[in-house]
Amino acid sequence: FVNGKFCKDPKLANADDFFFQGLGPGNTSNPLGSKVTPVAVNEILGLNTLGISLARIDFAPKGLNPPHTHPRGTEILVVLEGTLYVGFVSSNQDNNRLFTKVLNKGDVFVFPIGLIHFQLNVGYGEAVAIAGLSSQNPGV
């Protein structure tokens, strides 16, 4: 039992323990116009103790991934398609400054651990991003 998950006997492990199928487009037909598809330890058991995870984020035009935090992980975001306005709020010790940037295809932005952050599609078409996280279970 490690990090809140049971460890599987390594002799019983197989390729499916390290595999996730279905990181295709998410359904953005909802009030926010976005869909986050996480791939963390709950989706891939083999991530247990590895300290990493990821998520695919799909955006309809003007779609929003609303302000949120990851209390157990830093996030690095890469834009695969579209144009996103992203940002985070620094800590109280830094007077809660807002850091924002408009990202285009191929751009990368980092959200430090535990800070409130968001992504908004400001382009005219759909947008897609991949977020890497420094935790097997970063929380939301």
Side-chain angles (χ1 to χ4, degrees):
F1 193 73
V2 178
N3 295 331
K5 294 288 179 183
F6 286 101
C7 288
K8 188 174 190 175
D9 182 340
K11 294 175 188 149
L12 301 176
N14 61 61
D16 285 338
D17 295 324
F18 301 91
F19 174 75
F20 177 84
Q21 186 173 28
L23 197 59
N27 183 355
T28 60
S29 297
N30 58 63
L32 292 173
S34 68
K35 171 62 175 161
V36 177
T37 305
V39 183
V41 71
N42 289 334
E43 290 75 31
I44 299 179
L45 299 178
L47 284 173
N48 195 25
T49 75
L50 297 184
I52 59 169
S53 61
L54 66 83
R56 175 183 170 131
I57 312 165
D58 291 276
F59 298 88
K62 310 303 178 207
L64 171 68
N65 187 13
H68 62 283
T69 67
H70 303 292
R72 295 180 296 277
T74 293
E75 177 179 334
I76 187 166
L77 183 89
V78 60
V79 178
L80 300 181
E81 294 293 335
T83 302
L84 297 177
Y85 176 65
V86 304
F88 68 88
V89 179
S90 68
S91 64
N92 288 342
Q93 294 89 340
D94 191 39
N95 295 319
N96 300 302
R97 290 192 299 153
L98 178 63
F99 292 78
T100 64
K101 194 80 173 164
V102 173
L103 306 180
N104 295 296
K105 183 177 180 175
D107 290 344
V108 177
F109 197 81
V110 174
F111 305 103
I113 188 170
L115 297 184
I116 296 170
H117 60 282
F118 67 91
Q119 300 98 27
L120 172 67
N121 182 359
V122 293
Y124 294 100
E126 296 178 349
V128 180
I130 295 289
L133 296 127
S134 65
S135 171
Q136 68 180 20
N137 186 13
V140 177

